[in-house]
Amino acid sequence: MDDELHRRLRIEQARALLDNADPRQAVMLACDLLMAGVNGDAVVALAAESARTLPAYDANRRLAAVIDELGLPELDLPTAVALIAADTCERILDCSIPAEVGTHRLYVVGYEGSPLDHLLPEVTALAAHLEDDLGGRADDDLRTRLGALARTILDRLKAENPA
């Protein structure tokens, strides 16, 4: 399995640990694993699911079976937070998720044991501005501030784990 597939698998594993795996991402990941030659029973079963109709609970369960089948270790909470935070920040910066979604996803920095918990007040302030002042619709200023926060988070994660 290449590094990018491994990274995607760990991100979905982290999502399942903290909340729910994204059913669409989990199914697409399983399909990509099959194309890369990783074809265990659990991978095949997840790939055979509908990306549109798979419930989150079932995505979590099927993803856990894939992780067990591949022999990957469980994630600890700080690692899961760092993976989700980094993925969210990358998506904010490449505009693949709306600023409104990214702002709320960054609440992950507040999880107990998070290496980024000191940034929770900044995330909270952005979310409050988004909801209270902007009525839930991001403006250019919020997008700029969110992008700066995303870069800060990525820089801090990189400094803590330079490998």
Side-chain angles (χ1 to χ4, degrees), residues 1-2 13-14 17-18 22 24 30-32 39 70-71 73 80 84 99 108-109 117 122 131 146 150 155 159 161:
M1 169 180 0
D2 70 23
Q13 182 183 17
L17 175 65
L18 297 177
D22 179 326
R24 182 183 177 286
C31 292
D32 291 344
N39 58 2
L70 297 176
I84 293 172
V108 71
V109 303
D117 62 351
E122 222 174 313
E131 296 305 327
L146 182 61
D155 290 345
N161 194 9

Side-chain angles (χ1 to χ4, degrees), residues 15-122:
R15 285 190 209 293
L17 175 65
L18 297 177
D19 186 26
N20 283 310
D22 179 326
R24 182 183 177 286
Q25 293 297 324
V27 171
M28 300 315 299
L29 175 60
C31 292
D32 291 344
L33 286 167
L34 284 175
M35 292 187 63
V38 180
N39 58 2
D41 291 342
V43 175
V44 171
L46 180 54
E49 292 287 347
S50 168
R52 290 185 303 119
T53 62
L54 179 65
Y57 170 81
D58 289 334
N60 288 350
R61 188 174 49 78
R62 294 236 184 244
L63 185 65
V66 168
I67 289 164
D68 285 346
E69 186 172 80
L70 297 176
L72 295 176
E74 290 186 28
L75 290 173
D76 60 34
L77 194 56
T79 301
V81 168
L83 285 167
I84 293 172
D87 182 63
T88 299
C89 290
E90 290 165 2
R91 290 172 186 265
I92 288 167
L93 293 171
D94 72 10
C95 300
S96 64
I97 59 173
E100 297 86 354
V101 172
T103 300
H104 292 290
R105 282 189 186 171
L106 284 181
Y107 271 118
V108 71
V109 303
Y111 272 85
E112 184 178 334
S114 166
L116 302 164
D117 62 351
H118 59 285
L119 294 172
L120 183 58
E122 222 174 313

